[in-house]
Amino acid sequence: MSKERTRQYKQRIDRALATPRLQEALHRFADAYVVSRENAFAGLDFEALRTAIAASKDEVRDNSARYLADFTRNAEAAGARVHLARTAAEANAYIADLARARGVKSVVKSKSMASEEIHLNAALNQIGVKTVETDLGEWIIQLAGQRPSHMVMPAIHMFRDEVAELFSKVTGRQEPADIPHLVQVAREQLRQAYLDADMGVSGANIAVAETGELVLLTNEGNARLTTTLPKIHVALVGIEKLVPTLEDAHRIIKVLPRNATGQAITSYVSWIRGAVPCGEAEKELHIVLLDNGRSALAESPHCRDALRCIKCGACANVCPVYQTVGGHVFGHIYISAIGIILTAFFHGLDKAAELVRACIGCRACVAVCPSKIDLESIILSLRETVGEEEGIGAGKALVFKKVLRNRRLFHTLIRTASLLQKPITGGERTIRHLPLFFSGLTSWRTLPAIADKPLRDRWKEIPQKVEKPRYRAAFFAGCLNDFVYPELGRDLVKVLNRLGVEVLFPQEQNCCGVPALYSGDRETAVELARQNVAAMLEGNPDFVVTTCPTCTLALQRDFVDHLRDNPVWAQKAERLSAITLDVARLVEKLGGGELLKGLGDPVKTTYHDSCHLKRGAGVWKEPRALLAASGREVVEMAHSDRCCGFGGSYSFTSHPAIAKRILADKLRDIEQTGAACVAMDCPGCLMQIRGGLEKQGTAVRAAHTVELLAETLD
């Protein structure tokens, strides 16, 4: 079953990639969003706001029974009827039974992802009730027979000419593809639906426990018409929308529009407490509080923070995978990073399994999340669960469990591979073409050959020119630096020696374990963490230095997480984390800017921010400062921190087609700077970007920052 599901999913990816207008639409919004969001948050402390929102959401999650009772009591005191639905079927049954009892024939709906989650329209249609979506985007996709491709902008994937064609079928005349005209058509077509409707269905952005009221943030007047004109208003609200106080609600109102669309505030903020008057008749307000897996999510120690989500959709806005294939592929009902997690708990792990693997792990979503959810870590936990349920594949299991854990065997096999590759490389350091079914991997980038001699075997040949060292730094090379780019080790020694640092190379170090972790094999990752903690702390170095940000994050974060419950290893992992620095931060910390000042040539250089360096280790200013200090003219590229598409095995075995498209975006941004050189601090990014540039035949040089700094000292 999983093989067939994977095959079908990759077919959907291929269809999305064959639709260039899709990428055009998504990139156009994403590019504008980054600027708008930055402007919208100007003068606000985003970190303080997101910390406070996270705290209020955690308070409700950890005391859900209390806040559900408070909200129910206060809402019912104001005249509402509150029903807690444990499942989607129960929620649908309640609303359908209400419709039957009141003789409802037609329903108007304002935008509600919860109603999409439980397939409410289908449930009402089954009992003969007509449903009309009144949000413009929702109405468009209802006419198209599709589901939302974004939580906030459901029809973001569509162009005006496509919408004009849909509207023309409704009106029976040829409608021009003019946006103001199409909006007017929608108004005319939907107006009567409000007047005819027997019931209005809405969602809610916030439910306030202390007052029992609902808050809706909208940019169209449809939600107010939907909630006021019909005699029955049903609000379908996920229990995670609860907040304790009005102050908590105001905080979300301040953040939600800014993070969702880059607006300072939405056009309408509606507060609903109790049933509003409806002429002479008594109006009914029914609030259906939806669980449907949320309580199970709250009990998950690794995933529970996902209940902090305020449904802003920002994780999609910055996601390179979403921008490449869209929400109909990178989503089920809910989309992008948060959608992976919610899908697993609301609709089943089998619906989320392919989405889990499609995440490239760039952490862009983590950086913009307004409720401070570490989405990447939760997704990695789900990968582990999928691996346990479905396996990680016989090949990966063999490599990780039998080879990767055995350092000597692992390194012997890599050395053997360096010999076997010679018929392909012809003795060069670059692989330009691979044969047979591997050919696709080099159709869009070159690949580096494995070095004839790894760094660990060359280490004693590298001279250490430091007589009285100020510090001793152990170098964690990582697999690529060790076996593919050993020259970076020589460059590292040269730079650190000039700063009075003696560099050690612990021979017992092994792979950092990230390939296993990202494939769902946490057991192997934990074993490698133990091996590396022991190796890197041997000799009690002052620092541990890395040239790979993924390795940096493994040593700083993952090892601590892996070993926190082990009384033998937990403290050692904390010690290693505390002294681990990437090379740019260490060089800057030790005064490298002054050392390099004025020594280099004014080469026009742009900089690519590696995902785990900027959004994991928090390093982005230091490399730029060092390059500028060395005399280079540093120019910024657009989207400098957008992923290059490498993602380790992602670009080789998991989703090379997506990786190829993401790389094309990066190469275009580099080219538009006019720079002669692009610097970066990740061997994986170097492999990806250099390979893409070489395949294009461009003269732009790709280099690791430490390589450029070492050249400055020559």
Side-chain angles (χ1 to χ4, degrees):
M1 174 59 186
S2 62
K3 288 184 179 180
E4 176 60 20
R5 185 190 63 211
T6 300
R7 186 188 67 81
Q8 292 178 3
Y9 186 70
K10 291 194 173 180
Q11 285 180 342
R12 291 166 59 199
I13 289 174
D14 291 341
R15 286 194 295 270
L17 292 175
T19 311
R21 293 192 78 188
L22 173 67
Q23 285 90 45
E24 181 185 347
L26 297 177
H27 279 71
R28 184 182 298 173
F29 168 75
D31 292 351
Y33 165 80
V34 172
V35 177
S36 299
R37 179 182 179 276
E38 184 177 354
N39 293 336
F41 275 108
L44 295 178
D45 188 339
F46 176 65
E47 195 61 34
L49 285 167
R50 74 200 296 229
T51 299
I53 290 172
S56 69
K57 288 289 190 174
D58 288 352
E59 168 67 18
V60 173
R61 180 198 66 205
D62 297 341
N63 300 280
S64 60
R66 169 193 162 190
Y67 288 106
L68 281 169
D70 287 351
F71 177 82
T72 300
R73 182 180 64 255
N74 292 323
E76 289 180 341
R81 305 176 197 184
V82 181
H83 175 74
L84 178 62
R86 298 294 177 186
T87 65
E90 189 179 325
N92 283 330
Y94 179 89
I95 298 170
D97 289 346
L98 176 65
R100 272 192 294 257
R102 302 295 189 270
V104 171
K105 300 299 181 185
S106 65
V107 170
V108 286
K109 292 176 70 253
S110 68
K111 187 177 180 304
S112 166
M113 285 304 297
S115 72
E116 297 283 352
E117 174 189 332
I118 67 172
H119 305 292
L120 177 60
N121 287 10
L124 291 174
N125 291 340
Q126 283 180 357
I127 63 169
V129 175
K130 179 184 177 183
T131 60
V132 178
E133 298 286 354
T134 64
D135 173 89
L136 179 57
E138 289 278 354
W139 188 53
I140 290 169
I141 64 169
Q142 185 180 36
L143 295 178
Q146 299 178 8
R147 60 176 174 81
S149 66
H150 191 285
M151 286 197 289
V152 176
M153 297 158 286
I156 189 175
H157 60 290
M158 298 186 71
F159 281 79
R160 66 180 72 184
D161 59 310
E162 297 172 299
V163 176
E165 185 179 346
L166 284 172
F167 285 12
S168 297
K169 292 177 181 177
V170 174
T171 63
R173 60 178 183 266
Q174 189 63 41
E175 303 293 350
D178 174 69
I179 290 178
H181 173 77
L182 293 174
V183 171
Q184 184 59 33
V185 169
R187 287 196 181 113
E188 293 170 356
Q189 292 297 317
L190 292 172
R191 189 169 296 150
Q192 192 61 41
Y194 296 116
L195 300 174
D196 294 341
D198 306 302
M199 177 188 287
V201 175
S202 77
N205 296 99
I206 309 166
V208 186
E210 75 172 347
T211 60
E213 64 192 308
L214 305 175
V215 187
L216 280 73
L217 279 69
T218 60
N219 278 318
E220 303 169 22
N222 67 303
R224 289 190 173 176
L225 292 170
T226 296
T227 57
T228 56
L229 285 181
K231 294 181 180 180
I232 305 168
H233 172 206
V234 176
L236 180 64
V237 186
I239 59 175
E240 81 282 6
K241 296 295 184 69
L242 281 168
V243 297
T245 68
L246 286 170
E247 183 181 357
D248 296 314
H250 285 139
R251 196 176 290 113
I252 292 175
I253 291 169
K254 183 180 290 187
V255 169
L256 181 55
R258 288 178 166 87
N259 224 52
T261 56
Q263 298 170 263
I265 194 168
T266 53
S267 300
Y268 302 92
V269 180
S270 302
W271 299 78
I272 299 173
R273 185 171 183 268
V276 298
C278 187
E280 297 180 359
E282 182 73 21
K283 185 177 175 82
E284 296 181 43
L285 170 60
H286 296 257
I287 302 174
V288 180
L289 296 173
L290 180 66
D291 189 324
N292 196 39
R294 288 159 175 81
S295 292
L297 180 54
E299 295 300 318
S300 169
H302 298 296
C303 305
R304 62 204 308 255
D305 285 354
L307 286 173
R308 296 174 179 172
C309 179
I310 63 173
K311 307 298 189 299
C312 68
C315 54
N317 299 348
V318 298
C319 174
V321 178
Y322 176 83
Q323 291 166 19
T324 303
V325 298
H328 288 155
V329 175
F330 195 42
H332 180 62
I333 299 299
Y334 296 100
I335 52 87
S336 195
I338 191 64
I340 296 171
I341 304 160
L342 300 184
T343 297
F345 283 87
F346 297 173
H347 299 106
L349 190 64
D350 63 313
K351 299 289 194 304
E354 299 303 330
L355 308 179
V356 165
R357 299 185 184 106
C359 171
I360 199 168
C362 70
R363 295 184 65 82
C365 55
V366 179
V368 301
C369 179
S371 44
K372 219 170 184 179
I373 308 170
D374 192 337
L375 291 154
E376 187 209 17
S377 292
I378 299 176
I379 291 169
L380 288 178
S381 174
L382 287 174
R383 277 190 185 168
E384 180 185 354
T385 304
V386 171
E388 291 171 352
E389 294 293 324
E390 300 185 355
I392 61 173
K396 284 187 176 181
L398 175 65
V399 170
F400 294 149
K401 298 182 185 302
K402 301 297 183 183
V403 177
L404 209 57
R405 297 188 196 185
N406 186 330
R407 181 184 59 81
R408 293 185 184 279
L409 175 60
F410 175 43
H411 292 167
T412 297
L413 290 176
I414 297 179
R415 289 183 175 93
T416 302
S418 72
L419 299 174
L420 296 176
Q421 72 183 353
K422 290 187 177 179
I424 298 171
T425 64
E428 295 185 12
R429 287 296 305 277
T430 300
I431 301 173
R432 304 188 182 279
H433 303 285
L434 285 171
L436 303 175
F437 50 84
F438 295 110
S439 61
L441 297 176
T442 50
S443 65
W444 49 281
R445 65 178 173 191
T446 63
L447 293 172
I450 300 170
D452 291 338
K453 194 174 183 180
L455 178 61
R456 62 181 55 243
D457 294 350
R458 303 182 186 199
W459 191 257
K460 291 182 179 179
E461 303 168 6
I462 300 175
Q464 296 261 357
K465 298 180 180 179
V466 52
E467 293 183 4
K468 296 180 179 179
R470 299 163 57 199
Y471 303 104
R472 297 166 70 247
F475 178 30
F476 187 85
C479 300
L480 283 178
N481 199 155
D482 195 352
F483 290 93
V484 178
Y485 299 118
E487 59 275 10
L488 292 180
R490 178 200 62 218
D491 296 332
L492 176 92
V493 169
K494 179 187 291 185
V495 174
L496 291 184
N497 278 181
R498 290 289 293 271
L499 291 167
V501 180
E502 179 187 4
V503 186
L504 316 172
F505 190 98
Q507 291 287 325
E508 299 298 311
Q509 63 180 280
N510 199 349
C511 172
C512 68
V514 166
L517 184 66
Y518 277 51
S519 296
D521 183 2
R522 182 182 174 86
E523 185 181 340
T524 293
V526 171
E527 170 57 28
L528 292 172
R530 282 194 290 262
Q531 291 181 24
N532 285 311
V533 168
M536 301 313 296
L537 292 181
E538 183 72 27
N540 194 30
D542 300 298
F543 303 107
V544 171
V545 62
T546 69
T547 53
C548 172
T550 303
C551 294
T552 306
L553 205 56
L555 273 62
Q556 289 181 342
R557 181 196 69 180
D558 296 344
F559 290 4
V560 173
D561 181 58
H562 296 336
L563 302 173
R564 70 171 66 253
D565 297 325
N566 188 315
V568 176
W569 292 99
Q571 190 172 358
K572 295 177 181 178
E574 292 280 2
R575 162 68 179 158
L576 176 60
S577 175
I579 63 173
T580 296
L581 296 170
D582 80 282
V583 62
R585 175 162 280 180
L586 181 58
V587 171
E588 191 271 342
K589 177 184 177 72
L590 298 179
E594 285 300 314
L595 170 69
L596 297 160
K597 196 169 184 179
L599 296 180
D601 296 324
V603 179
K604 192 173 185 180
T605 303
T606 190
Y607 186 79
H608 161 70
D609 288 288
S610 302
C611 298
H612 285 167
L613 188 64
K614 181 175 182 181
R615 293 186 285 268
V619 174
W620 73 96
K621 296 178 182 177
E622 294 89 340
R624 289 172 168 84
L626 292 170
L627 291 168
S630 72
R632 289 178 174 267
E633 178 191 353
V634 179
V635 295
E636 287 295 323
M637 74 172 81
H639 325 114
S640 62
D641 61 355
R642 181 183 283 170
C643 182
C644 69
F646 177 63
S649 62
Y650 193 94
S651 63
F652 287 93
T653 58
S654 299
H655 294 290
I658 296 176
K660 173 184 177 182
R661 188 62 59 88
I662 295 173
L663 174 61
D665 294 336
K666 178 60 63 175
L667 298 182
R668 183 172 57 252
D669 289 338
I670 293 170
E671 180 184 5
Q672 289 175 352
T673 66
C677 177
V678 54
M680 61 211 72
D681 280 75
C682 173
C685 296
L686 183 62
M687 175 187 291
Q688 180 85 335
I689 293 174
R690 179 182 286 174
L693 292 170
E694 288 179 348
K695 203 67 177 182
Q696 286 187 352
T698 178
V700 178
R701 178 191 179 191
H704 196 289
T705 298
V706 76
E707 179 182 358
L708 299 177
L709 300 184
E711 288 176 4
T712 302
L713 296 175
D714 282 342

